[in-house]
Amino acid sequence: MRAVVAVDSGTVGLAEVDEVRPGAGEMVIEVAAFSINRGETFQLERPRDGWRPGKDIAGRVIEAAPDGPPAGSRVVAHLPHSGWAERVTVPPTQVAVLPDSISFEQAAALPLAGLTALRLLRTAGSVIGRRILLTGASGGVGHYFTELAANAGAAVTAVVSSPARGARLLELGAENLVYDVADALGPFDLVFESVGGESLPIALSKLVPGGDLIWFGEASRQPVTLDFFDFFTAPEAARIRHFHYVHGRDDEDLATLVRLVASGRLHPELGRVEDWSRTDAVLDDLRNRRVRGNAVLTLHKEATPMDPKTVVTRYVEAVAAGDRATMYASFAPDVVWTYPGDLPLSGDWKGRDLVMDEFLGAVAGKLFAPDTPVAIALTNVIADGEQVFAEWTAQATARAGGAYANKCGAVFTVRDGVIVAVREYTDTDHARRVLFPDESML
């Protein structure tokens, strides 16, 4: 059978591996979809001999276990490893049955992130009326935790890197977004910290005296330094509690997550859904924080295209990051970009290469000062079917020396997961004054 295996430090590929053989009391599942977790990106940097990645899978039972669901059942499972494969073996204690209303893609996004969020709340106890600070909130755990905590009566402040990465959290019930933990307005009854490094001591300082900080990750990969005397200020008598998500019955907690999704009280956030042949590329996007929510890979069928809102959000974030590969992949080959007004850039730009190289390339290469960044910030995205309206701000230094600070908007048309048309709206008078003081520049 085929499976995703570690090829080199941090990279993976498809390879033939030995067929699975169920042990005593185990079932065999044909995998339909799996999700990638950030911890697996760390493990792939130094893979152990014989280890294969994969904790979260969904699929169909093809060989039943004595005490498990019958063959043919749709299931979600949480494995210790080796889930990124055509087939897996697993005991019934790590499986929950799926109703037809939950897709395999949705289910695959549940296990590790959902179990972590559920058990974090269980560790905290009652959160009704409590003020909570959540760092590193834009991933799968953050989305699930925010929705569960808000529904349980908590007031959640989420720390994210940009408005675009936090927009969905507001829809799920977060009361506030901040883009730096230092800007969070405390005090908070509880802090859930997953970044480590400089973030944890700052988050700790936001606690009420005697409050709890629950430490469940270190995404920054930077160690934490604490000063004993800092505890005599705001967080006096505060407690730091280490959290490991593995404590609990997987089958029971997975069944709880499935029930919440089926009843509309929990919403898997699928930031990326692609065919498993693109696992290595999706891993790179996850490492570079180009995925909000969960990244899901599908087997044995064409991947479901990303929804239009996600396509546009991903594109604007790629522009902000200077990620030309993602920008290029976001466009259909025959895309048409319409720029307003009567400036040298105005008119219809037709074709992906022309849009990327001549239109967007001209803006970056000829209009702005060399070796200075163009700061792009997505501020709003509204979707209606294949039409998506996005707003963003752009700030930069023009080649002529002026300060460019414009508000932009565009109607994007998205079909089959790619952008086919863009009609942009912006302050063309400001663009003329700052970018084209002499229209002979182009």
Side-chain angles (χ1 to χ4, degrees):
M1 69 174 190
R2 291 187 301 166
V4 176
V5 300
V7 175
D8 199 352
S9 176
T11 62
V12 298
L14 288 174
E16 289 290 330
V17 300
D18 292 340
E19 185 61 67
V20 295
R21 298 286 185 268
E26 290 186 327
M27 68 185 77
V28 179
I29 300 172
E30 183 177 63
V31 178
F34 62 81
S35 68
I36 301 174
N37 298 290
R38 182 165 295 279
E40 287 158 333
T41 70
F42 299 157
Q43 289 177 298
L44 282 166
E45 293 173 4
R46 295 182 178 178
R48 304 184 305 274
D49 289 342
W51 172 86
R52 287 192 281 111
K55 289 178 174 288
D56 299 354
I57 68 103
R60 197 175 295 275
V61 177
I62 59 173
E63 185 175 336
D67 298 324
S73 298
R74 302 173 73 252
V75 294
V76 58
H78 182 233
L79 312 179
H81 53 74
S82 303
W84 301 356
E86 290 184 302
R87 287 169 291 282
V88 300
T89 60
V90 61
T93 53
Q94 293 171 278
V95 171
V97 175
L98 294 172
D100 291 339
S101 60
I102 299 179
S103 70
F104 285 132
E105 292 88 346
Q106 290 174 306
L110 280 175
L112 189 146
L115 292 172
T116 300
L118 186 68
R119 292 167 181 173
L120 278 170
L121 275 175
R122 197 174 282 155
T123 299
S126 175
V127 296
I128 297 174
R130 306 186 79 183
R131 300 190 67 205
I132 289 176
L133 177 64
L134 174 66
T135 66
S138 63
V141 174
H143 283 84
Y144 288 133
F145 179 89
T146 296
E147 187 169 18
L148 291 171
N151 287 341
V156 179
T157 293
V159 184
V160 295
S161 60
S162 69
R165 293 185 70 81
R168 179 60 174 155
L169 295 170
L170 292 174
E171 296 174 0
L172 294 174
E175 291 202 357
N176 297 293
L177 293 181
V178 294
Y179 312 114
D180 188 316
V181 66
D183 296 331
L185 298 178
F188 296 93
D189 302 297
L190 288 163
V191 171
F192 292 85
E193 220 293 315
S194 65
V195 177
E198 296 179 355
S199 173
L200 189 146
I202 298 172
L204 181 68
S205 74
K206 307 289 183 177
L207 275 172
V208 298
D212 286 326
L213 183 148
I214 299 176
W215 189 5
F216 70 101
E218 194 167 276
S220 69
R221 314 293 297 278
Q222 298 298 316
V224 171
T225 300
L226 293 173
D227 188 329
F228 171 82
F229 294 100
D230 286 344
F231 283 79
F232 290 106
T233 57
E236 185 169 3
R239 294 178 293 270
I240 297 177
R241 302 169 64 181
H242 180 265
F243 172 87
H244 192 194
Y245 86 101
V246 299
H247 302 296
R249 282 281 302 263
D250 284 355
D251 54 350
E252 294 178 355
D253 287 347
L254 285 172
T256 297
L257 294 169
V258 167
R259 175 171 52 83
L260 291 171
V261 174
S263 61
R265 289 179 287 170
L266 188 66
H267 297 83
E269 183 69 7
L270 304 184
R272 186 72 55 82
V273 179
E274 299 206 33
D275 185 79
W276 73 322
S277 62
R278 288 185 46 78
T279 300
D280 200 48
V282 175
L283 279 166
D284 185 66
D285 281 348
L286 194 66
R287 290 189 188 98
N288 289 286
R289 302 189 180 279
R290 293 192 287 266
V291 179
R292 290 177 298 118
N294 296 90
V296 174
L297 287 302
T298 60
L299 287 72
H300 309 305
K301 67 181 184 67
E302 291 296 319
T304 304
M306 282 185 286
D307 65 274
K309 184 177 181 180
T310 300
V311 171
V312 172
T313 300
R314 178 194 185 206
Y315 166 74
V316 178
E317 289 180 344
V319 175
D323 179 3
R324 285 184 56 86
T326 298
M327 291 167 61
Y328 190 87
S330 298
F331 291 124
D334 57 351
V335 63
V336 178
W337 190 303
T338 302
Y339 192 84
D342 58 356
L343 301 175
L345 285 175
S346 299
D348 292 337
W349 296 82
K350 299 180 179 179
R352 180 166 55 194
D353 291 338
L354 197 65
V355 167
M356 285 292 299
D357 298 333
E358 298 299 325
F359 173 56
L360 298 177
V363 170
K366 298 182 180 180
L367 300 181
F368 296 121
D371 301 322
T372 60
V374 180
I376 303 291
L378 184 64
T379 58
N380 191 28
V381 185
I382 302 172
D384 184 7
E386 66 180 21
Q387 302 292 315
V388 181
F389 179 69
E391 295 178 291
W392 64 92
T393 59
Q395 294 181 311
T397 301
R399 182 174 285 271
Y404 181 75
N406 214 338
K407 294 181 178 180
C408 309
V411 176
F412 293 78
T413 302
V414 180
R415 298 191 187 111
D416 298 325
V418 291
I419 299 166
V420 299
V422 185
R423 181 171 293 275
E424 184 174 349
Y425 301 91
T426 191
D427 184 347
T428 54
D429 287 340
H430 176 72
R432 185 188 306 279
R433 290 193 305 272
V434 178
L435 299 181
F436 301 99
D438 178 359
E439 292 190 359
S440 66
M441 288 174 62
L442 285 184

